[in-house]
Amino acid sequence: MDLALAYPSWLLALCALGAAALAWWTYGRTTPLVSGWRRGGLAALRFAALFLVLLLLFGPVWRAFSTAGDDPLLAVLVDESESLTLGAGPPGERARTALAALPADRALRFYGFAAEAAPVDRDSLAFDGPRTDIAAALGRIEQDFAGRNLRGVLLVSDGRVTQGRSPAALADRFPVPIFTAVTGDSASSRDVRLTRVVTNEVAYAGSPLPFRIGVRQAGYEGQTAPVTIASGGQVVARGRVDLPAGGAEATAELAVTPGGAGLRRYTVTVGPLAGEATTRNNSETVSVRVLDESRRVLLVGSGPSPDFTALRQILETDRQLDVTVRTQRSAGQFYEGPLPSSLATFDLLVLVGYPGRAADPQTTARLAEAAADGLATLFVLGRQTDIGRLGDAFGDVLPVEPARVRATFVEAGVGPTPGGETHPVLDEAGVDPAQLSSLPPLQVSETRWVLQPGARTLLAERRGGRTFSDPVVAIRQSGAVRSAAILGTGIWRWRTLPPDLDALSPVLSGLTSGMVRWTTAARDRRPVRIRADRSLFDSRERVTLSGEVYTEALQPVEDAEVALTIRGAGRTRTLPMRPVGNGRYVADAGALPPGSYAVEGTASRGGEALGTDRALFGVGEVGVEFREPGADVRLMRLLAERSGGETVPLDSLGAWLERLRQSGGLAARPVERVEETPLLSLPWLLALCVGLLTVEWVARKRLGMV
């Protein structure tokens, strides 16, 4: 037992000396004077009361110590995943028999696990879990037995991890030894299985979508297996793969061509071959978002010109571009008719010499507003360009801004900048960037151009064999918006080259194509993004979905109301999403019947709609537990070695438990318990303090003291 103080004891002793001195000094000058034992008694009463108050102010705690034994515990962690139903035995029944042979020992605590772990009765093991997460199960044991006398963990499993992180890293720092008992055959049964399916998450309609498919085999060396890709119940691609010896992975490369925009689900299947142990690891389903690759281009020219004609021909010969042309005729009028009523349907705005002197303010304002709202823009300088109006209307979106306007033009060649040489836009030119300096010179404005934030120069002015910093071709990315500019006129000459420059003839077409593709590159500008956490859920799993909500400036929205509508398996259901911070939202739809599902998410804030998004997922027999039949003996041994345990034969668990107890592995742990009592909570101490002061007061009165 001892007394603990909140402050150092020497400070209390110093305060006590001060209290004693004060008490003695107080009774040194009294009326009437007291001396001898009377003075000493009164000073002692005053000192005792002061010391007791000081002591309580120091937060004293009375601690009583005792020692007791803490009973030992051994957690028995049993794998209940469905992989233990595959193979001779089957392994699950062998595990059930081995656990039943364990004696009724009060130290044992049984837990079953698949994707999660929970206490279980050893007589009620189900072996039907769709996934195996050993690391999560060990984490649950560590959490449940924190502070208790846990002496070890007996892990009964085939060691096949199908979810979560590798448990090997966890074993290095696990607080107690892990004893592993392997159930299942270490030698794989005859089987062909998919090991991976790699494809793009985003594809374009009409363009081939490649699939890279990995296949492994056991027992089928030298044979070939069919590989198919199906969508909507129809096979859309076929192939065959040779199965090499030694268990090496074979690769099949197939491709499909999506027919239209939207979400598509593709099921990849290998085999089956005769005699396989299971066919539930022969298929995998992936989801792909298919975009429409055709781009709508609005080409606006300040009037007929050789540059305008050259660019129009290049754009209209590209089959992936839908080009709408407007050529300025007079103020507010175009040869081809008025501007389209909606500019939001276009993917790219190309301005050739526009705005010119004939451009009216209303049309210019409409085009500038569309560009400011995110419409990708490509500007080509012309002699008719009103540079001042260009800066006023489009200065916020173009890569450059005129700082000092000049109406005169001079001749200059072009040369790539260090940053431009490696940019994908110049890659499209189809020639070595160093050769671009051989192109015919352009007429460039003497206006001083200033690069905007986020802009870079790809081609700069070149004179006298030197490349300067003045931009000729520049690009810019600001947030999700991209723009490009060609600040020279006479580019038509790059299409009519002399024979000695014939190698450079594709430059203008390639450069134009590169800028079109770069400025209109698919970027995720969706304000609302909904996705299923998996493309295919097992019918026994809970379906979880995630979402993100952003403003038009792509800033996260944390206070939106997001509602989901899930359609599939002959029914429709709605549920809200729960915010988790930083614009992210989650929802749990629970277990759903097998089938294909479409989910639509709608977000709003304060009654104002923010946007919608759609996703696809499926529910069925996933079969990840059957991807690799057989036990992973190496992992089970590694867990035991790294944690200080050992591998135990499954059929001798009872004898092993007895040896463990005899060796002291299940010994009780002495536990020192501390019982603390704050003295300030004791009412009798306060009463004692009041009593001392009362006795002092009565004594003073009897002695006639003032």
Side-chain angles (χ1 to χ4, degrees), residues 565-600:
T565 302
I566 302 176
R567 297 181 177 88
R571 66 173 187 169
T572 300
R573 61 173 300 185
T574 60
L575 72 157
M577 300 195 81
R578 175 175 56 87
V580 293
N582 198 33
R584 295 182 59 247
Y585 297 78
V586 296
D588 185 339
L592 297 178
S596 297
Y597 289 84
V599 56
E600 180 177 275

PDB file of all heavy atoms in Angstrom, residues 565-600:
ATOM      1  N   THR A 565     -31.562   4.066 -56.696  1.00  0.00           N
ATOM      2  CA  THR A 565     -32.641   3.200 -57.177  1.00  0.00           C
ATOM      3  C   THR A 565     -32.004   1.982 -57.816  1.00  0.00           C
ATOM      4  O   THR A 565     -31.256   2.108 -58.796  1.00  0.00           O
ATOM      5  CB  THR A 565     -33.525   3.928 -58.194  1.00  0.00           C
ATOM      6  OG1 THR A 565     -34.079   5.110 -57.591  1.00  0.00           O
ATOM      7  CG2 THR A 565     -34.659   3.030 -58.653  1.00  0.00           C
ATOM      8  N   ILE A 566     -32.259   0.809 -57.254  1.00  0.00           N
ATOM      9  CA  ILE A 566     -31.648  -0.435 -57.717  1.00  0.00           C
ATOM     10  C   ILE A 566     -32.721  -1.263 -58.403  1.00  0.00           C
ATOM     11  O   ILE A 566     -33.763  -1.571 -57.805  1.00  0.00           O
ATOM     12  CB  ILE A 566     -31.023  -1.221 -56.542  1.00  0.00           C
ATOM     13  CG1 ILE A 566     -29.963  -0.358 -55.836  1.00  0.00           C
ATOM     14  CG2 ILE A 566     -30.395  -2.514 -57.039  1.00  0.00           C
ATOM     15  CD1 ILE A 566     -29.372  -1.027 -54.616  1.00  0.00           C
ATOM     16  N   ARG A 567     -32.468  -1.631 -59.650  1.00  0.00           N
ATOM     17  CA  ARG A 567     -33.418  -2.434 -60.421  1.00  0.00           C
ATOM     18  C   ARG A 567     -32.743  -3.728 -60.854  1.00  0.00           C
ATOM     19  O   ARG A 567     -31.624  -3.717 -61.336  1.00  0.00           O
ATOM     20  CB  ARG A 567     -33.904  -1.660 -61.654  1.00  0.00           C
ATOM     21  CG  ARG A 567     -34.682  -0.390 -61.329  1.00  0.00           C
ATOM     22  CD  ARG A 567     -35.141   0.317 -62.612  1.00  0.00           C
ATOM     23  NE  ARG A 567     -35.948   1.494 -62.309  1.00  0.00           N
ATOM     24  CZ  ARG A 567     -35.448   2.705 -62.099  1.00  0.00           C
ATOM     25  NH1 ARG A 567     -34.128   2.890 -62.160  1.00  0.00           N
ATOM     26  NH2 ARG A 567     -36.241   3.728 -61.828  1.00  0.00           N
ATOM     27  N   GLY A 568     -33.471  -4.825 -60.683  1.00  0.00           N
ATOM     28  CA  GLY A 568     -32.946  -6.121 -61.076  1.00  0.00           C
ATOM     29  C   GLY A 568     -33.671  -7.240 -60.388  1.00  0.00           C
ATOM     30  O   GLY A 568     -34.342  -7.030 -59.355  1.00  0.00           O
ATOM     31  N   ALA A 569     -33.575  -8.451 -60.938  1.00  0.00           N
ATOM     32  CA  ALA A 569     -34.211  -9.639 -60.371  1.00  0.00           C
ATOM     33  C   ALA A 569     -35.710  -9.422 -60.193  1.00  0.00           C
ATOM     34  O   ALA A 569     -36.323  -9.907 -59.228  1.00  0.00           O
ATOM     35  CB  ALA A 569     -33.566 -10.029 -59.046  1.00  0.00           C
ATOM     36  N   GLY A 570     -36.316  -8.646 -61.099  1.00  0.00           N
ATOM     37  CA  GLY A 570     -37.757  -8.478 -61.087  1.00  0.00           C
ATOM     38  C   GLY A 570     -38.299  -7.521 -60.049  1.00  0.00           C
ATOM     39  O   GLY A 570     -39.512  -7.510 -59.800  1.00  0.00           O
ATOM     40  N   ARG A 571     -37.457  -6.712 -59.439  1.00  0.00           N
ATOM     41  CA  ARG A 571     -37.967  -5.770 -58.448  1.00  0.00           C
ATOM     42  C   ARG A 571     -37.118  -4.504 -58.448  1.00  0.00           C
ATOM     43  O   ARG A 571     -36.010  -4.471 -58.976  1.00  0.00           O
ATOM     44  CB  ARG A 571     -37.997  -6.390 -57.058  1.00  0.00           C
ATOM     45  CG  ARG A 571     -36.632  -6.714 -56.471  1.00  0.00           C
ATOM     46  CD  ARG A 571     -36.775  -7.168 -55.031  1.00  0.00           C
ATOM     47  NE  ARG A 571     -35.491  -7.342 -54.381  1.00  0.00           N
ATOM     48  CZ  ARG A 571     -35.347  -7.528 -53.076  1.00  0.00           C
ATOM     49  NH1 ARG A 571     -36.405  -7.580 -52.300  1.00  0.00           N
ATOM     50  NH2 ARG A 571     -34.147  -7.676 -52.538  1.00  0.00           N
ATOM     51  N   THR A 572     -37.708  -3.462 -57.834  1.00  0.00           N
ATOM     52  CA  THR A 572     -37.040  -2.163 -57.709  1.00  0.00           C
ATOM     53  C   THR A 572     -37.049  -1.753 -56.247  1.00  0.00           C
ATOM     54  O   THR A 572     -38.062  -1.900 -55.557  1.00  0.00           O
ATOM     55  CB  THR A 572     -37.759  -1.095 -58.548  1.00  0.00           C
ATOM     56  OG1 THR A 572     -37.741  -1.488 -59.924  1.00  0.00           O
ATOM     57  CG2 THR A 572     -37.072   0.258 -58.410  1.00  0.00           C
ATOM     58  N   ARG A 573     -35.928  -1.261 -55.787  1.00  0.00           N
ATOM     59  CA  ARG A 573     -35.853  -0.772 -54.408  1.00  0.00           C
ATOM     60  C   ARG A 573     -35.021   0.499 -54.373  1.00  0.00           C
ATOM     61  O   ARG A 573     -34.177   0.731 -55.231  1.00  0.00           O
ATOM     62  CB  ARG A 573     -35.237  -1.826 -53.475  1.00  0.00           C
ATOM     63  CG  ARG A 573     -33.815  -2.230 -53.824  1.00  0.00           C
ATOM     64  CD  ARG A 573     -33.225  -3.142 -52.776  1.00  0.00           C
ATOM     65  NE  ARG A 573     -33.191  -2.493 -51.473  1.00  0.00           N
ATOM     66  CZ  ARG A 573     -32.643  -3.033 -50.393  1.00  0.00           C
ATOM     67  NH1 ARG A 573     -32.107  -4.227 -50.465  1.00  0.00           N
ATOM     68  NH2 ARG A 573     -32.639  -2.391 -49.254  1.00  0.00           N
ATOM     69  N   THR A 574     -35.318   1.338 -53.391  1.00  0.00           N
ATOM     70  CA  THR A 574     -34.587   2.599 -53.218  1.00  0.00           C
ATOM     71  C   THR A 574     -33.973   2.624 -51.826  1.00  0.00           C
ATOM     72  O   THR A 574     -34.520   2.041 -50.880  1.00  0.00           O
ATOM     73  CB  THR A 574     -35.509   3.812 -53.397  1.00  0.00           C
ATOM     74  OG1 THR A 574     -36.564   3.759 -52.417  1.00  0.00           O
ATOM     75  CG2 THR A 574     -36.115   3.832 -54.795  1.00  0.00           C
ATOM     76  N   LEU A 575     -32.858   3.307 -51.691  1.00  0.00           N
ATOM     77  CA  LEU A 575     -32.217   3.483 -50.398  1.00  0.00           C
ATOM     78  C   LEU A 575     -31.318   4.696 -50.456  1.00  0.00           C
ATOM     79  O   LEU A 575     -30.821   5.056 -51.532  1.00  0.00           O
ATOM     80  CB  LEU A 575     -31.426   2.248 -49.972  1.00  0.00           C
ATOM     81  CG  LEU A 575     -30.108   1.936 -50.695  1.00  0.00           C
ATOM     82  CD1 LEU A 575     -29.232   1.062 -49.810  1.00  0.00           C
ATOM     83  CD2 LEU A 575     -30.384   1.186 -52.002  1.00  0.00           C
ATOM     84  N   PRO A 576     -31.122   5.370 -49.319  1.00  0.00           N
ATOM     85  CA  PRO A 576     -30.241   6.546 -49.297  1.00  0.00           C
ATOM     86  C   PRO A 576     -28.789   6.144 -49.112  1.00  0.00           C
ATOM     87  O   PRO A 576     -28.485   5.037 -48.649  1.00  0.00           O
ATOM     88  CB  PRO A 576     -30.748   7.332 -48.089  1.00  0.00           C
ATOM     89  CG  PRO A 576     -31.239   6.256 -47.153  1.00  0.00           C
ATOM     90  CD  PRO A 576     -31.799   5.167 -48.032  1.00  0.00           C
ATOM     91  N   MET A 577     -27.881   7.046 -49.463  1.00  0.00           N
ATOM     92  CA  MET A 577     -26.465   6.853 -49.207  1.00  0.00           C
ATOM     93  C   MET A 577     -26.071   7.697 -48.002  1.00  0.00           C
ATOM     94  O   MET A 577     -26.626   8.778 -47.761  1.00  0.00           O
ATOM     95  CB  MET A 577     -25.614   7.242 -50.418  1.00  0.00           C
ATOM     96  CG  MET A 577     -25.913   6.457 -51.674  1.00  0.00           C
ATOM     97  SD  MET A 577     -24.620   6.624 -52.948  1.00  0.00           S
ATOM     98  CE  MET A 577     -23.404   5.443 -52.352  1.00  0.00           C
ATOM     99  N   ARG A 578     -25.107   7.209 -47.258  1.00  0.00           N
ATOM    100  CA  ARG A 578     -24.667   7.865 -46.023  1.00  0.00           C
ATOM    101  C   ARG A 578     -23.348   8.590 -46.271  1.00  0.00           C
ATOM    102  O   ARG A 578     -22.409   8.004 -46.801  1.00  0.00           O
ATOM    103  CB  ARG A 578     -24.497   6.811 -44.922  1.00  0.00           C
ATOM    104  CG  ARG A 578     -23.933   7.333 -43.614  1.00  0.00           C
ATOM    105  CD  ARG A 578     -23.937   6.225 -42.569  1.00  0.00           C
ATOM    106  NE  ARG A 578     -23.209   5.057 -43.017  1.00  0.00           N
ATOM    107  CZ  ARG A 578     -21.901   4.892 -42.856  1.00  0.00           C
ATOM    108  NH1 ARG A 578     -21.178   5.843 -42.275  1.00  0.00           N
ATOM    109  NH2 ARG A 578     -21.308   3.778 -43.273  1.00  0.00           N
ATOM    110  N   PRO A 579     -23.246   9.877 -45.899  1.00  0.00           N
ATOM    111  CA  PRO A 579     -21.984  10.599 -46.107  1.00  0.00           C
ATOM    112  C   PRO A 579     -20.905  10.121 -45.141  1.00  0.00           C
ATOM    113  O   PRO A 579     -21.181   9.856 -43.969  1.00  0.00           O
ATOM    114  CB  PRO A 579     -22.359  12.056 -45.840  1.00  0.00           C
ATOM    115  CG  PRO A 579     -23.538  11.984 -44.923  1.00  0.00           C
ATOM    116  CD  PRO A 579     -24.288  10.739 -45.303  1.00  0.00           C
ATOM    117  N   VAL A 580     -19.668  10.035 -45.654  1.00  0.00           N
ATOM    118  CA  VAL A 580     -18.531   9.632 -44.814  1.00  0.00           C
ATOM    119  C   VAL A 580     -17.423  10.667 -44.853  1.00  0.00           C
ATOM    120  O   VAL A 580     -16.348  10.448 -44.312  1.00  0.00           O
ATOM    121  CB  VAL A 580     -17.987   8.249 -45.247  1.00  0.00           C
ATOM    122  CG1 VAL A 580     -19.008   7.167 -44.973  1.00  0.00           C
ATOM    123  CG2 VAL A 580     -17.586   8.254 -46.727  1.00  0.00           C
ATOM    124  N   GLY A 581     -17.671  11.821 -45.501  1.00  0.00           N
ATOM    125  CA  GLY A 581     -16.686  12.891 -45.510  1.00  0.00           C
ATOM    126  C   GLY A 581     -15.994  13.060 -46.847  1.00  0.00           C
ATOM    127  O   GLY A 581     -15.872  12.115 -47.646  1.00  0.00           O
ATOM    128  N   ASN A 582     -15.566  14.285 -47.124  1.00  0.00           N
ATOM    129  CA  ASN A 582     -14.815  14.650 -48.318  1.00  0.00           C
ATOM    130  C   ASN A 582     -15.569  14.303 -49.598  1.00  0.00           C
ATOM    131  O   ASN A 582     -14.980  13.906 -50.606  1.00  0.00           O
ATOM    132  CB  ASN A 582     -13.445  13.980 -48.326  1.00  0.00           C
ATOM    133  CG  ASN A 582     -12.473  14.658 -49.286  1.00  0.00           C
ATOM    134  OD1 ASN A 582     -12.550  15.878 -49.478  1.00  0.00           O
ATOM    135  ND2 ASN A 582     -11.588  13.900 -49.892  1.00  0.00           N
ATOM    136  N   GLY A 583     -16.894  14.451 -49.576  1.00  0.00           N
ATOM    137  CA  GLY A 583     -17.691  14.215 -50.762  1.00  0.00           C
ATOM    138  C   GLY A 583     -17.967  12.766 -51.088  1.00  0.00           C
ATOM    139  O   GLY A 583     -18.504  12.456 -52.148  1.00  0.00           O
ATOM    140  N   ARG A 584     -17.620  11.857 -50.162  1.00  0.00           N
ATOM    141  CA  ARG A 584     -17.836  10.431 -50.395  1.00  0.00           C
ATOM    142  C   ARG A 584     -19.068   9.949 -49.647  1.00  0.00           C
ATOM    143  O   ARG A 584     -19.376  10.415 -48.549  1.00  0.00           O
ATOM    144  CB  ARG A 584     -16.615   9.611 -49.960  1.00  0.00           C
ATOM    145  CG  ARG A 584     -15.375   9.894 -50.787  1.00  0.00           C
ATOM    146  CD  ARG A 584     -14.206   9.016 -50.350  1.00  0.00           C
ATOM    147  NE  ARG A 584     -14.522   7.606 -50.467  1.00  0.00           N
ATOM    148  CZ  ARG A 584     -14.657   6.771 -49.436  1.00  0.00           C
ATOM    149  NH1 ARG A 584     -14.481   7.210 -48.194  1.00  0.00           N
ATOM    150  NH2 ARG A 584     -14.942   5.514 -49.618  1.00  0.00           N
ATOM    151  N   TYR A 585     -19.757   8.964 -50.266  1.00  0.00           N
ATOM    152  CA  TYR A 585     -20.994   8.430 -49.710  1.00  0.00           C
ATOM    153  C   TYR A 585     -20.989   6.909 -49.861  1.00  0.00           C
ATOM    154  O   TYR A 585     -20.388   6.378 -50.806  1.00  0.00           O
ATOM    155  CB  TYR A 585     -22.217   9.018 -50.425  1.00  0.00           C
ATOM    156  CG  TYR A 585     -22.340  10.522 -50.257  1.00  0.00           C
ATOM    157  CD1 TYR A 585     -21.557  11.396 -51.006  1.00  0.00           C
ATOM    158  CD2 TYR A 585     -23.213  11.063 -49.328  1.00  0.00           C
ATOM    159  CE1 TYR A 585     -21.637  12.770 -50.842  1.00  0.00           C
ATOM    160  CE2 TYR A 585     -23.307  12.438 -49.157  1.00  0.00           C
ATOM    161  CZ  TYR A 585     -22.516  13.278 -49.910  1.00  0.00           C
ATOM    162  OH  TYR A 585     -22.601  14.633 -49.728  1.00  0.00           O
ATOM    163  N   VAL A 586     -21.650   6.212 -48.936  1.00  0.00           N
ATOM    164  CA  VAL A 586     -21.696   4.750 -48.981  1.00  0.00           C
ATOM    165  C   VAL A 586     -23.121   4.287 -48.720  1.00  0.00           C
ATOM    166  O   VAL A 586     -23.933   5.015 -48.136  1.00  0.00           O
ATOM    167  CB  VAL A 586     -20.737   4.118 -47.940  1.00  0.00           C
ATOM    168  CG1 VAL A 586     -19.295   4.452 -48.259  1.00  0.00           C
ATOM    169  CG2 VAL A 586     -21.088   4.571 -46.531  1.00  0.00           C
ATOM    170  N   ALA A 587     -23.421   3.075 -49.165  1.00  0.00           N
ATOM    171  CA  ALA A 587     -24.731   2.468 -48.939  1.00  0.00           C
ATOM    172  C   ALA A 587     -24.566   0.966 -48.858  1.00  0.00           C
ATOM    173  O   ALA A 587     -23.661   0.391 -49.479  1.00  0.00           O
ATOM    174  CB  ALA A 587     -25.708   2.845 -50.049  1.00  0.00           C
ATOM    175  N   ASP A 588     -25.448   0.336 -48.089  1.00  0.00           N
ATOM    176  CA  ASP A 588     -25.452  -1.120 -47.924  1.00  0.00           C
ATOM    177  C   ASP A 588     -26.836  -1.615 -48.324  1.00  0.00           C
ATOM    178  O   ASP A 588     -27.834  -1.332 -47.651  1.00  0.00           O
ATOM    179  CB  ASP A 588     -25.133  -1.490 -46.476  1.00  0.00           C
ATOM    180  CG  ASP A 588     -24.992  -2.995 -46.272  1.00  0.00           C
ATOM    181  OD1 ASP A 588     -25.508  -3.754 -47.115  1.00  0.00           O
ATOM    182  OD2 ASP A 588     -24.364  -3.403 -45.276  1.00  0.00           O
ATOM    183  N   ALA A 589     -26.902  -2.339 -49.438  1.00  0.00           N
ATOM    184  CA  ALA A 589     -28.184  -2.835 -49.932  1.00  0.00           C
ATOM    185  C   ALA A 589     -28.529  -4.205 -49.381  1.00  0.00           C
ATOM    186  O   ALA A 589     -29.594  -4.754 -49.710  1.00  0.00           O
ATOM    187  CB  ALA A 589     -28.159  -2.884 -51.460  1.00  0.00           C
ATOM    188  N   GLY A 590     -27.658  -4.776 -48.540  1.00  0.00           N
ATOM    189  CA  GLY A 590     -27.912  -6.100 -48.002  1.00  0.00           C
ATOM    190  C   GLY A 590     -27.701  -7.187 -49.038  1.00  0.00           C
ATOM    191  O   GLY A 590     -27.197  -6.943 -50.143  1.00  0.00           O
ATOM    192  N   ALA A 591     -28.090  -8.402 -48.720  1.00  0.00           N
ATOM    193  CA  ALA A 591     -27.969  -9.526 -49.650  1.00  0.00           C
ATOM    194  C   ALA A 591     -29.106  -9.460 -50.663  1.00  0.00           C
ATOM    195  O   ALA A 591     -30.267  -9.257 -50.295  1.00  0.00           O
ATOM    196  CB  ALA A 591     -28.000 -10.845 -48.895  1.00  0.00           C
ATOM    197  N   LEU A 592     -28.786  -9.617 -51.936  1.00  0.00           N
ATOM    198  CA  LEU A 592     -29.774  -9.543 -53.011  1.00  0.00           C
ATOM    199  C   LEU A 592     -29.849 -10.883 -53.737  1.00  0.00           C
ATOM    200  O   LEU A 592     -28.871 -11.639 -53.783  1.00  0.00           O
ATOM    201  CB  LEU A 592     -29.398  -8.443 -54.001  1.00  0.00           C
ATOM    202  CG  LEU A 592     -29.364  -7.006 -53.455  1.00  0.00           C
ATOM    203  CD1 LEU A 592     -28.931  -6.034 -54.553  1.00  0.00           C
ATOM    204  CD2 LEU A 592     -30.710  -6.605 -52.889  1.00  0.00           C
ATOM    205  N   PRO A 593     -30.989 -11.181 -54.351  1.00  0.00           N
ATOM    206  CA  PRO A 593     -31.114 -12.424 -55.121  1.00  0.00           C
ATOM    207  C   PRO A 593     -30.187 -12.417 -56.331  1.00  0.00           C
ATOM    208  O   PRO A 593     -29.813 -11.349 -56.827  1.00  0.00           O
ATOM    209  CB  PRO A 593     -32.592 -12.420 -55.557  1.00  0.00           C
ATOM    210  CG  PRO A 593     -33.278 -11.450 -54.662  1.00  0.00           C
ATOM    211  CD  PRO A 593     -32.248 -10.431 -54.291  1.00  0.00           C
ATOM    212  N   PRO A 594     -29.809 -13.582 -56.837  1.00  0.00           N
ATOM    213  CA  PRO A 594     -28.952 -13.630 -58.018  1.00  0.00           C
ATOM    214  C   PRO A 594     -29.590 -12.925 -59.207  1.00  0.00           C
ATOM    215  O   PRO A 594     -30.807 -12.934 -59.391  1.00  0.00           O
ATOM    216  CB  PRO A 594     -28.796 -15.134 -58.275  1.00  0.00           C
ATOM    217  CG  PRO A 594     -29.052 -15.777 -56.945  1.00  0.00           C
ATOM    218  CD  PRO A 594     -30.080 -14.917 -56.285  1.00  0.00           C
ATOM    219  N   GLY A 595     -28.749 -12.279 -60.012  1.00  0.00           N
ATOM    220  CA  GLY A 595     -29.234 -11.590 -61.193  1.00  0.00           C
ATOM    221  C   GLY A 595     -28.354 -10.416 -61.546  1.00  0.00           C
ATOM    222  O   GLY A 595     -27.369 -10.126 -60.870  1.00  0.00           O
ATOM    223  N   SER A 596     -28.719  -9.729 -62.635  1.00  0.00           N
ATOM    224  CA  SER A 596     -28.019  -8.519 -63.064  1.00  0.00           C
ATOM    225  C   SER A 596     -28.784  -7.305 -62.563  1.00  0.00           C
ATOM    226  O   SER A 596     -30.015  -7.259 -62.644  1.00  0.00           O
ATOM    227  CB  SER A 596     -27.904  -8.472 -64.588  1.00  0.00           C
ATOM    228  OG  SER A 596     -27.130  -9.553 -65.060  1.00  0.00           O
ATOM    229  N   TYR A 597     -28.043  -6.310 -62.079  1.00  0.00           N
ATOM    230  CA  TYR A 597     -28.671  -5.142 -61.468  1.00  0.00           C
ATOM    231  C   TYR A 597     -28.120  -3.870 -62.089  1.00  0.00           C
ATOM    232  O   TYR A 597     -26.937  -3.791 -62.443  1.00  0.00           O
ATOM    233  CB  TYR A 597     -28.403  -5.117 -59.959  1.00  0.00           C
ATOM    234  CG  TYR A 597     -29.150  -6.192 -59.192  1.00  0.00           C
ATOM    235  CD1 TYR A 597     -28.631  -7.484 -59.103  1.00  0.00           C
ATOM    236  CD2 TYR A 597     -30.358  -5.923 -58.570  1.00  0.00           C
ATOM    237  CE1 TYR A 597     -29.303  -8.474 -58.410  1.00  0.00           C
ATOM    238  CE2 TYR A 597     -31.035  -6.909 -57.870  1.00  0.00           C
ATOM    239  CZ  TYR A 597     -30.507  -8.182 -57.797  1.00  0.00           C
ATOM    240  OH  TYR A 597     -31.182  -9.151 -57.098  1.00  0.00           O
ATOM    241  N   ALA A 598     -29.005  -2.885 -62.190  1.00  0.00           N
ATOM    242  CA  ALA A 598     -28.623  -1.532 -62.598  1.00  0.00           C
ATOM    243  C   ALA A 598     -28.983  -0.598 -61.453  1.00  0.00           C
ATOM    244  O   ALA A 598     -30.070  -0.690 -60.884  1.00  0.00           O
ATOM    245  CB  ALA A 598     -29.353  -1.114 -63.869  1.00  0.00           C
ATOM    246  N   VAL A 599     -28.060   0.285 -61.097  1.00  0.00           N
ATOM    247  CA  VAL A 599     -28.304   1.225 -60.010  1.00  0.00           C
ATOM    248  C   VAL A 599     -28.149   2.641 -60.553  1.00  0.00           C
ATOM    249  O   VAL A 599     -27.231   2.929 -61.314  1.00  0.00           O
ATOM    250  CB  VAL A 599     -27.350   0.979 -58.820  1.00  0.00           C
ATOM    251  CG1 VAL A 599     -25.896   1.034 -59.254  1.00  0.00           C
ATOM    252  CG2 VAL A 599     -27.597   1.977 -57.700  1.00  0.00           C
ATOM    253  N   GLU A 600     -29.090   3.497 -60.173  1.00  0.00           N
ATOM    254  CA  GLU A 600     -29.038   4.905 -60.554  1.00  0.00           C
ATOM    255  C   GLU A 600     -29.003   5.747 -59.293  1.00  0.00           C
ATOM    256  O   GLU A 600     -29.837   5.569 -58.398  1.00  0.00           O
ATOM    257  CB  GLU A 600     -30.248   5.286 -61.404  1.00  0.00           C
ATOM    258  CG  GLU A 600     -30.255   6.760 -61.830  1.00  0.00           C
ATOM    259  CD  GLU A 600     -31.419   7.101 -62.724  1.00  0.00           C
ATOM    260  OE1 GLU A 600     -31.301   6.892 -63.952  1.00  0.00           O
ATOM    261  OE2 GLU A 600     -32.459   7.545 -62.196  1.00  0.00           O
TER     262      GLU A 600
END
